[in-house]
């Protein structure tokens, strides 16, 4: 069989692919991350590239216009080289490589005296062996641990046994022992550190972004954190497309290596910036939705998607970094937060743990607004959860100038004069290059209440000079090109707004279907907790005004930021939190919305600003 | 024995058409479910609008062309015929000829035709445009102006295109049809958008979109019932009469077109199909039924008379 060389610019990277492989395969092989919402099915039009040189065959596709073809713009996933070929990946197709400012995490302070980390350090001073006291080195260590208060059987990893004898002798029978709290097993031993502490890492594996935080296991302090786009995006934007991709040859392995690459990149970045070596890391807690956890472990997620929607596992034993593939010391224990079912994952049990709703008798609504919206309602006695596919709009996906809440993102918008650009705030304070979730909410609200869009999100073109024709649709200029980082207008179009309305409609429909099913009126809610990657400046009032959040007293709301990450951090630090994770996972009941009558009606009713039934938003009628 | 009766909070609005003429009509106005005369008041009978077209409707099946063979292509004559020979109380002028993909007749032609029809007959006229697109706006705006003050019913405003039509109807005193694709919420949303433009909802008739018998009719049926229940429950954004365009839906289905002798006489079958569809929609709350075949219309009119006797 023939093979062709594909040179990919602007990276000047060349890969070789077999005849009949697509440019999308070539890009995958090169490891360059790109947008491909549909995972190479030819349905999303995100994988556009330009062919500079070489023969190729492109399948006809309605997403490619004749003008595109004339300029050699093709869909990578529908294009097959007929010779060696050179292509350029335009900026819009590339997945941004830059780091995402971490979200403010939950305001949960954990008291130093209650800290009981996943892996605990014991500084031991042992008696030197003698002919009378001739137990083995390991037994001596265990005896030391018992004296320090450890009870029950104590295990030990092989790697530790291998290094124990020289370590003890070289250090005058003093050493630090690292004990995994879950089963009292020794995971590592080291020289007496004299106070230098080991780190744990908390990781939130989101469908769209991955956030990592280094945590000092003794003080509970967060050392540094970073977020990055999940590189699996080049295999599809949502979990359904990822699962489909996992069924291709090597698909599962590919997805696993992409998520590992993303996580390991964040770790590398933090070690570089914080000056703390990788070797200081001793354990990790990962929290993600059920599909993400499956993919990370290369467990086939196929049946998550097929009725009756059964995951392979919801609880995982504590594994080692080596087995999982994390680039931290190989023996480090790795814990994954337990999930409830196929569509309510470890990110939710983790978020709920962080929110504390499981310890409160107040009736609480917990909403995680992400690509996959999850909703939990309940209190310390009961909890019911459901999931709805909101899509990645609020995280910047599928929105022309959308981006995650990171430096350069417009995070809030206020319109003072309809004919002039609005007043913006930008994360990091520089010039903007895109719009993040919180600003999209502001925009919808401002545009609607200024009369620039109607309740369906359609522009009133005659009313403002800032509304322009953009390609085949109308758009509002959020930041004119003179004031943007890239010198191009930042706009929000009618299509973007339609996507946002669908996203908020899906979330609203989830909340209202669940509440109706439980016969709980909105007014009975005592607390409403919001989690997710919307950005730190989420404006509750405006979120209510567009119908994303229920119109209840504003003091009931609390924004938690990345609650899944906060929960993972808690699990690193607290035995109680680890127990609660398990309890929550067993206690929570899952309701499948797709089979719940009325969901579709609720969804359509919510495709309106704020809602078709205005009586649900009494405070907005004035 | 006392029959337990349902009392509703809401009431359907009355839409008046061609109120200046002695043969003007009011539709709607009931405060109970379809034909539940025992439950409330039902001031206005459902009516059948006779569909006529501005050009020879070459796509119409022979069976439904035959009764009109002398007037096809002569819309004024056609209007007079249904009025005078069949006693039509309202007609629907379908401007298929203005469709850019058909004869592409100009808005002015359509407007002058409407004027002529209005002077030839004294009953209300429903004016149906060629369908969504630039042309629809132009045609209906010209017609609305030409028929100023004659309170016609214009079809149709849709979510993607309603503003021009709403503005024309406001300016020239007409009513309009708000069309949404078989969905309770979308129906309400369009009514809200229209009333936000300050057109009184007394001038709006809902088209919930109809399927012919066997083609989703039951779906329309239940959506119409749900809209009605919500309206009678007091939702002011849904208290409007219904119009159902039956002709187009019925006369294109396989069962009406097929020449299969095993299925019996085709013409009879076709007429029955139109009757069955219309009757079902009557039960789900239709106030105006737009129909084609004289025999079907006759039969359904008799049914209406019977049903409205109480
Ligand atoms: S169209 Fe190529 S990845 Fe979606």
């Amino acid at each position: 069989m023939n093979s062709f060389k594909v040179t990919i610019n602007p990276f000047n990277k060349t890969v070789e692919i077999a005849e009949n492989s697509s440019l999308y395969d070539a890009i995958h092989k090169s490891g360059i991350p790109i947008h491909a919402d549909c995972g190479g099915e030819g349905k999303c039009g995100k994988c556009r590239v330009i062919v500079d040189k070489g023969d190729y065959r492109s399948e006809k596709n309605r997403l490619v216009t004749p003008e595109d073809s004339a300029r050699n713009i093709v869909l990578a996933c529908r294009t097959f080289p007929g010779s060696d070929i050179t292509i350029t990946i335009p900026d819009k197709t590339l997945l941004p490589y830059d780091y995402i400012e971490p979200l403010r995490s939950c305001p949960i302070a954990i008291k130093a005296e209650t800290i009981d980390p996943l892996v605990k350090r014991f500084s031991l001073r042992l008696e030197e062996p003698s002919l009378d006291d001739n137990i083995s080195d390991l037994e001596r260590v265990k005896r030391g641990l018992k004296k320090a208060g450890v009870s029950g059987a104590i295990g030990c990893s092989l790697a530790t046994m291998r290094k124990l004898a020289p370590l003890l002798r070289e250090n005058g029978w003093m050493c630090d022992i690292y004990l995994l709290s879950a089963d009292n097993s020794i995971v590592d031993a080291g020289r007496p550190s004299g106070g230098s502490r080991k780190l744990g890492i908390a990781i939130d594996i989101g469908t769209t972004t991955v956030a990592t935080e280094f945590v000092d296991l003794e003080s509970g302090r967060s050392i540094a954190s970073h977020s990055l786009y999940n590189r699996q995006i080049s295999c599809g934007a949502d979990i359904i497309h990822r699962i489909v991709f996992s069924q291709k040859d090597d698909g599962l392995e590919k997805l696993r290596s992409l998520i590992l690459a993303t996580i390991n990149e964040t770790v590398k970045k933090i070690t570089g910036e914080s000056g703390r070596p990788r070797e200081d890391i001793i354990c990790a807690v990962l929290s993600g939705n059920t599909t993400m956890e499956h993919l990370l472990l290369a467990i086939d997620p196929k049946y998550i998607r097929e009725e009756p929607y059964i995951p392979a596992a919801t609880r995982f034993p504590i594994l080692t970094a080596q087995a999982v593939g994390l680039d931290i010391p190989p023996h480090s224990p790795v814990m994954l937060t337990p999930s409830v079912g196929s569509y309510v994952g470890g990110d939710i049990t983790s978020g709920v743990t962080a929110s504390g709703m499981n310890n409160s008798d107040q009736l609480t609504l917990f909403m995680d607004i992400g690509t996959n919206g999850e909703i939990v309602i309940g209190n310390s006695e009961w909890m019911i959860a459901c999931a709805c596919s909101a899509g990645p709009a609020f995280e910047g996906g599928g929105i022309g100038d959308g981006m995650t809440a990171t430096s350069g993102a417009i995070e809030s918008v206020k319109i003072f004069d309809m004919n002039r650009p609005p007043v913006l705030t930008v994360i990091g304070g520089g010039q903007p290059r895109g719009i993040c979730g919180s600003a999209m909410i502001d925009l919808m609200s401002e545009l609607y209440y200024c009369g620039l869009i109607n309740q369906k999100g359609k522009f009133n073109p005659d009313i403002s000079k800032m509304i322009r024709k953009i390609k085949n649709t109308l758009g509002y200029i959020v930041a004119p090109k003179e004031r943007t980082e890239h010198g191009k207008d930042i706009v929000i179009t009618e299509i973007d707004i339609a996507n946002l309305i669908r996203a908020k409609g899906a979330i609203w429909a989830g909340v209202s279907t669940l509440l109706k099913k439980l016969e709980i009126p909105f007014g009975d809610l005592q607390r409403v907790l919001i989690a997710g990657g919307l950005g730190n400046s989420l404006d509750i009032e405006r979120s209510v005004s567009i119908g994303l959040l229920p119109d209840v007293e504003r003091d009931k709301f609390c924004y938690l930021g990345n609650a899944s990450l906060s929960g993972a951090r808690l699990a690193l630090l607290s035995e109680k939190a680890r127990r609660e994770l398990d309890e929550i996972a067993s206690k929570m009941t899952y309701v499948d919305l797709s089979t719940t009558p009325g969901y579709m009606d609720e969804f359509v009713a919510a495709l309106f600003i704020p809602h078709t039934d205005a009586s649900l938003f009494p405070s907005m009628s004035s | 024995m006392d029959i337990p009766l349902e009392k509703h909070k809401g009431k359907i609005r009355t839409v008046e058409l061609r109120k200046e003429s002695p043969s003007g009509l009011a539709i709607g106005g009931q405060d109970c479910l379809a034909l539940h005369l025992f439950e409330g008041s039902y001031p206005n009978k459902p009516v059948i609008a006779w569909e006529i077209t501005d050009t020879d409707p070459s796509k119409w099946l022979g069976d439904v062309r035959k009764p009109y063979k002398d007037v096809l292509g002569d819309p004024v004559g056609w209007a007079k015929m249904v009025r005078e020979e069949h006693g039509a109380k309202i007609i629907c002028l379908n401007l298929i000829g203005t469709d850019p993909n058909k004869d592409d007749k100009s808005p002015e032609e359509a407007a002058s035709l409407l004027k002529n029809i209005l002077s030839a007959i004294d009953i209300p006229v429903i004016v149906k445009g060629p369908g969504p697109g630039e042309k629809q706006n132009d045609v209906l705006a010209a017609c609305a102006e030409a028929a100023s003050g004659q309170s016609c019913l214009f079809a149709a405003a849709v979510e993607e295109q309603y503003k021009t039509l709403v503005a024309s109807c406001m300016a020239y005193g007409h009513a309009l049809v708000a069309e949404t694709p078989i969905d309770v919420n979308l129906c309400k949303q369009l009514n809200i958008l229209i009333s936000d433009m300050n057109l009184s909802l007394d001038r709006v008739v809902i088209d919930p979109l109809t399927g012919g018998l066997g083609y989703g009719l039951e779906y329309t049926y239940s959506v119409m019932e749900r809209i009605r229940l919500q309206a009678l429950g007091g939702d002011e954004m849904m208290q409007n009469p219904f119009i159902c365009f039956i002709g187009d839906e019925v006369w294109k289905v396989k069962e009406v077109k097929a020449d299969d002798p095993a299925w019996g006489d085709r013409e009879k079958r076709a007429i029955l199909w139109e009757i069955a569809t219309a009757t079902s929609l009557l039960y789900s709350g239709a106030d105006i039924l737009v129909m084609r075949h004289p025999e079907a219309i006759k039969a359904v009119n008799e049914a209406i008379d019977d049903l409205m006797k109480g």
Side-chain angles (χ1 to χ4, degrees):
Chain A
M1 194 157 67
N2 269 333
S3 68
F4 299 120
K5 286 204 179 66
V6 181
T7 304
I8 304 169
N9 284 325
F11 306 92
N12 195 15
K13 232 181 182 176
T14 303
V15 292
E16 207 162 306
I17 53 164
E19 195 175 26
N20 296 330
S21 300
S22 69
L23 292 178
Y24 178 74
D25 298 329
I27 295 170
H28 260 298
K29 202 162 173 191
S30 75
I32 298 167
I34 60 163
H35 285 290
D37 289 4
C38 71
E41 305 274 307
K43 291 186 187 138
C44 71
K46 288 291 160 73
C47 62
R48 298 154 88 85
V49 298
I50 306 159
V51 179
D52 302 319
K53 205 170 74 204
D55 300 334
Y56 63 91
R57 170 175 63 81
S58 250
E59 281 171 20
K60 243 182 119 60
N61 191 295
R62 64 180 174 82
L63 298 164
V64 181
T65 63
E67 296 89 79
D68 290 337
S69 306
R71 293 163 54 205
N72 288 324
I73 296 175
V74 298
L75 294 182
C77 68
R78 300 286 105 170
T79 304
F80 307 87
S83 69
D84 290 350
I85 192 167
T86 305
I87 64 171
T88 299
I89 308 182
D91 279 355
K92 257 209 141 72
T93 305
L94 277 179
L95 196 63
Y97 241 129
D98 34 37
Y99 296 90
I100 300 162
E101 214 110 315
L103 285 162
R104 189 175 70 204
S105 44
C106 299
I108 353 157
I110 172 156
K111 286 196 210 96
E113 59 272 22
T114 63
I115 289 180
D116 187 359
L118 181 61
V119 172
K120 203 169 177 176
R121 176 174 64 119
F122 289 86
S123 295
L124 300 182
R125 178 186 292 267
L126 303 171
E127 281 123 42
E128 214 171 311
S130 64
L131 284 172
D132 293 333
D133 181 13
N134 59 0
I135 54 172
S136 72
D137 292 343
L138 179 58
E139 292 311 313
R140 193 167 299 275
V141 166
K142 289 185 184 171
R143 192 172 69 191
L145 286 172
K146 292 223 159 102
K147 268 195 198 146
V150 177
S151 59
I154 298 171
C156 184
S157 71
L158 181 56
T160 312
M161 281 188 240
R162 284 180 177 146
K163 65 189 209 191
L164 209 52
L167 178 82
L168 291 173
R169 286 169 183 81
E170 278 160 26
N171 293 290
W173 300 95
M174 298 207 308
C175 67
D176 278 0
I177 294 293
Y178 297 94
L179 195 72
L180 173 63
S181 66
D183 61 357
N184 274 352
S185 64
I186 300 169
V187 294
D188 199 11
R191 287 188 301 167
S193 57
S196 119
R197 291 143 163 190
K198 290 274 186 184
L199 303 174
I201 54 178
I203 303 170
D204 165 47
I205 315 170
T207 311
T208 306
T209 57
V210 171
T212 301
E213 188 169 306
F214 279 25
V215 180
D216 181 317
L217 289 174
E218 288 171 39
S219 71
R221 243 172 7 97
S222 164
I223 302 289
S225 57
H226 262 287
S227 307
L228 211 56
Y229 277 107
N230 184 338
R231 287 199 198 158
Q232 288 178 341
I233 291 175
S234 50
C235 304
D238 52 44
I239 52 175
I240 299 302
H241 283 107
R242 305 267 171 92
I243 297 173
V244 171
F245 192 96
S246 74
Q247 300 307 304
K248 300 184 183 175
D249 294 345
D250 305 332
L252 187 55
E253 207 23 67
K254 174 110 222 170
L255 285 159
R256 169 169 182 264
S257 67
L258 287 171
I259 186 58
L260 283 172
T262 315
I263 295 173
N264 289 333
E265 182 78 27
T266 59
V267 172
K268 194 165 130 206
K269 184 80 183 173
I270 305 179
T271 51
E273 279 183 2
S274 64
R276 295 292 296 263
R278 220 172 52 104
E279 286 63 39
D280 277 3
I281 299 168
I282 188 79
C283 59
V285 175
L286 286 86
S287 149
N289 64 49
T290 312
T291 304
M292 289 301 122
E293 293 191 346
H294 276 61
L295 294 176
L296 173 75
L297 300 179
I299 299 172
D300 189 352
K302 182 168 181 221
Y303 300 101
I304 288 180
R305 210 185 137 231
E306 292 174 8
E307 216 187 293
Y309 315 110
I310 305 300
T314 49
R315 283 160 209 260
F316 306 92
I318 292 191
L319 304 164
T320 62
Q322 188 168 36
V324 177
L326 293 185
D327 214 352
I328 58 176
H331 48 265
S332 312
V334 174
M335 170 181 165
L336 274 82
T337 55
S339 52
V340 178
S342 278
Y343 294 104
V344 175
D347 50 345
I348 292 307
T349 51
S350 174
V352 166
T353 307
S355 77
M357 70 183 273
N358 54 315
N359 290 319
S360 160
D361 46 12
Q362 290 188 312
L363 182 59
T364 306
L365 170 66
F366 172 93
M367 302 167 69
D368 186 327
I369 302 175
T371 306
N372 224 36
E374 282 106 354
I375 292 142
V376 184
I377 176 153
N379 56 23
S380 53
E381 308 215 322
W382 57 274
M383 272 182 236
I384 296 190
C386 69
C388 48
S389 180
F394 286 120
E395 291 174 84
I399 303 294
D401 283 322
M403 63 185 285
T404 49
T406 177
S407 155
I410 299 172
E411 59 171 347
S412 75
V413 181
K414 174 107 191 95
I415 299 176
F416 285 104
D417 178 340
M418 282 204 282
N419 291 312
R420 317 193 68 149
V423 174
L424 312 172
T425 59
V426 178
I427 300 179
Q431 293 208 309
R433 61 196 164 91
I435 313 169
C436 78
S438 57
M440 294 180 203
I441 291 168
D442 284 3
L443 269 169
M444 279 166 74
S445 173
E446 292 279 299
L447 290 173
Y448 172 60
Y449 290 95
C450 290
L452 299 182
I453 53 175
N454 71 9
Q455 286 162 290
K456 274 284 183 184
K458 295 278 159 34
F459 280 108
N460 256 333
D462 318 322
I463 207 167
S464 158
K465 283 199 213 115
M466 303 311 291
I467 300 172
R468 313 255 171 91
K469 207 164 162 85
I470 287 158
K471 287 197 187 137
N472 298 324
T473 176
L474 293 171
Y476 172 81
I477 313 289
V478 183
K481 52 180 178 293
E482 311 80 63
R483 298 195 203 158
T484 61
E485 189 193 285
H486 42 43
K488 285 178 261 177
D489 287 339
I490 293 175
V491 296
I492 186 155
T493 65
E494 230 164 58
I495 297 169
D496 296 336
I497 295 174
N499 276 331
L500 289 166
I501 291 183
R502 269 197 297 277
K504 77 106 188 165
I507 293 164
W508 177 269
V511 172
S512 81
T513 309
L514 194 59
L515 286 176
K516 274 200 184 142
K517 207 177 167 109
L518 302 171
E519 297 179 21
I520 297 174
F522 283 101
D524 284 9
L525 296 173
Q526 292 170 293
R527 284 198 309 164
V528 180
L529 309 178
I530 318 295
L534 289 164
N536 290 329
S537 53
L538 176 80
D539 184 320
I540 298 288
E541 194 59 42
R542 285 186 171 139
S543 306
V544 174
S545 79
I546 62 163
L548 173 64
L549 301 179
D551 194 357
V552 297
E553 292 86 339
R554 305 305 186 253
D555 58 4
K556 290 179 177 172
F557 286 102
C558 177
Y559 178 60
L560 303 178
N562 189 340
S564 163
L565 182 63
S566 305
R569 193 183 71 210
L570 274 184
L572 275 175
L573 295 174
S574 150
E575 174 61 32
K576 180 164 165 275
R578 291 189 290 276
R579 245 194 346 261
E580 285 179 357
L581 274 170
D582 253 335
E583 286 164 14
I584 291 166
S586 345
K587 188 153 70 179
M588 212 183 278
T589 314
Y590 172 62
V591 176
D592 182 9
L593 287 184
S594 64
T595 57
T596 305
Y599 177 78
M600 236 6 238
D601 266 339
E602 294 287 342
F603 175 63
V604 177
L607 300 180
F608 212 55
I609 305 172
H611 192 273
T612 308
D613 182 357
S615 69
L616 291 169
F617 290 85
S619 74
M620 292 303 134
S621 54
S622 42
Chain B
M1 189 189 85
D2 274 347
I3 304 172
L5 294 181
E6 186 106 25
K7 266 281 152 228
H8 298 283
K9 275 202 288 219
K11 180 176 171 198
I12 304 307
R13 294 187 173 84
T14 305
V15 176
E16 289 181 301
L17 299 175
R18 215 161 183 198
K19 40 184 177 264
E20 312 71 15
S21 156
S23 308
L25 267 183
I27 52 167
Q30 63 271 35
D31 57 5
C32 53
L33 283 173
L35 310 167
H36 284 207
L37 304 185
F38 51 90
E39 233 174 45
S41 76
Y42 223 106
N44 300 302
K45 270 191 199 179
V47 291
I48 299 174
W50 294 66
E51 182 175 354
I52 70 170
T53 58
D54 61 341
T55 29
D56 184 339
S58 49
K59 288 227 178 80
W60 284 22
L61 288 190
D63 293 333
V64 72
R65 286 171 64 84
K66 202 169 55 185
Y68 306 113
K69 63 179 188 314
D70 299 330
V71 290
L72 297 173
D74 167 19
V76 178
W78 192 347
K80 278 185 161 155
M81 171 194 173
V82 296
R83 171 67 178 144
E84 284 155 18
E85 290 176 27
H86 297 290
K89 293 200 198 86
I90 175 171
I91 63 161
C92 171
L93 170 62
N94 192 347
L95 296 169
I96 54 172
T98 58
D99 187 334
N101 300 318
K102 201 170 181 310
D103 300 349
D104 200 15
K105 288 193 179 196
S106 70
E108 296 71 33
E109 264 177 283
S112 85
L113 169 62
L114 177 59
K115 255 191 164 149
N116 292 340
I117 287 178
L118 286 167
S119 47
I121 56 171
D122 57 353
I123 52 173
V125 178
I126 303 165
V127 184
K128 189 170 188 291
E134 264 311 299
K135 189 70 184 286
Q136 166 115 309
N137 274 345
D138 299 344
V139 168
L140 295 184
C143 290
E145 186 176 353
S148 174
Q150 307 254 32
S151 41
C152 296
L153 176 61
F154 282 84
V158 293
E159 187 188 297
E160 299 74 34
Q161 189 180 357
Y162 65 94
K163 291 182 185 163
T164 315
L165 186 57
V166 172
S168 309
C169 289
M170 277 189 357
Y172 301 110
H174 301 294
L176 60 76
V177 172
E179 173 196 314
T180 42
I182 324 188
D183 186 281
V184 182
N185 286 298
L186 295 177
C187 164
K188 177 171 173 183
Q189 290 170 6
L190 182 55
N191 279 3
I192 296 175
L193 294 174
I194 289 171
S195 77
D196 277 354
M197 284 186 70
N198 290 325
L199 179 74
S200 156
L201 287 180
D202 292 341
R203 279 154 61 178
V204 175
V205 177
I206 297 172
D207 178 2
L209 271 197
T210 311
L213 175 63
Y215 291 80
L217 177 69
E218 60 288 355
Y219 194 36
T220 308
Y221 191 106
S222 69
V223 166
M224 285 170 73
E225 271 196 335
R226 288 179 53 203
I227 294 175
R228 257 312 133 77
L229 284 168
Q230 209 165 315
L232 294 172
D235 192 329
E236 294 188 6
M237 286 298 154
M238 309 185 97
Q239 296 167 337
N240 295 76
F242 285 124
I243 184 169
C244 294
F245 292 88
I246 291 166
D248 239 358
E249 296 302 324
V250 166
W251 289 92
K252 70 181 180 201
V253 309
K254 179 175 89 211
E255 291 80 353
V256 164
K257 287 185 182 157
D259 241 337
D260 187 341
W263 287 1
D265 181 65
R266 192 194 58 202
E267 184 177 2
K268 199 164 154 199
R269 184 190 333 133
I271 293 169
L272 283 171
W273 215 270
E274 191 170 18
I275 294 174
T277 305
T279 322
S280 311
L281 293 169
L282 206 55
Y283 280 106
S284 59
D287 297 281
I288 306 177
L289 299 157
V290 182
M291 297 177 63
R292 284 188 187 161
H293 201 285
E295 280 186 45
I297 295 176
K298 183 160 169 269
V300 177
N301 259 329
E302 283 168 11
I304 293 174
D305 288 342
D306 264 359
L307 290 162
M308 291 300 289
K309 270 193 211 120

